[in-house]
Amino acid sequence: MKIQTALEVAKDCGLETVGEAIFNIKIHAVNLFSYSDIQKELAELENTWEWTKSHRKTHDGKAINEDTPVNLILEHHIAEDLSDYETNI
């Protein structure tokens, strides 16, 4: 699962921060993914989050972290465009 999808799920669940979004996916992974895909999906989530944190900033130039509001990232499409994302991370 990419971080963008996790943030969309978090918004639908009423969660406020990226940290809450990631934790939500981790604790519900057994209900979201097939057993054989859980590790792959969680690794993709972690990789796209780490990459986004280190390669993207908020619209006003601030660093992104676990306390960054989900709505801020979604409203400014910060995690949506991973066109320059390195898939070999």
Side-chain angles (χ1 to χ4, degrees), residues 39-51:
Q39 291 304 317
K40 176 184 71 98
E41 295 289 347
L42 293 179
E44 180 181 44
L45 176 61
E46 191 63 33
N47 287 340
T48 57
W49 168 235
E50 290 299 322
W51 185 89

Side-chain angles (χ1 to χ4, degrees), residues 26-74:
K26 287 180 179 179
I27 64 172
H28 295 290
V30 295
N31 298 313
L32 296 169
F33 312 114
S34 67
Y35 182 76
S36 60
D37 290 337
I38 290 173
Q39 291 304 317
K40 176 184 71 98
E41 295 289 347
L42 293 179
E44 180 181 44
L45 176 61
E46 191 63 33
N47 287 340
T48 57
W49 168 235
E50 290 299 322
W51 185 89
T52 300
K53 249 191 335 189
S54 63
H55 290 84
R56 299 289 189 254
K57 302 265 186 231
T58 64
H59 68 287
D60 57 355
K62 293 182 181 174
I64 296 170
N65 61 44
E66 286 77 4
D67 295 325
T68 302
V70 167
N71 285 336
L72 181 116
I73 293 179
L74 292 176

Side-chain angles (χ1 to χ4, degrees), residues 47-48 51 55 82-89:
N47 287 340
T48 57
W51 185 89
H55 290 84
L82 295 177
S83 58
D84 54 342
Y85 172 67
E86 296 284 335
T87 57
N88 58 358
I89 292 177

Side-chain angles (χ1 to χ4, degrees), residues 3-13 21 70 74 80:
I3 188 65
Q4 176 72 22
T5 305
L7 296 174
E8 291 167 356
V9 169
K11 181 179 178 183
D12 291 343
C13 293
V70 167
L74 292 176
E80 192 171 286

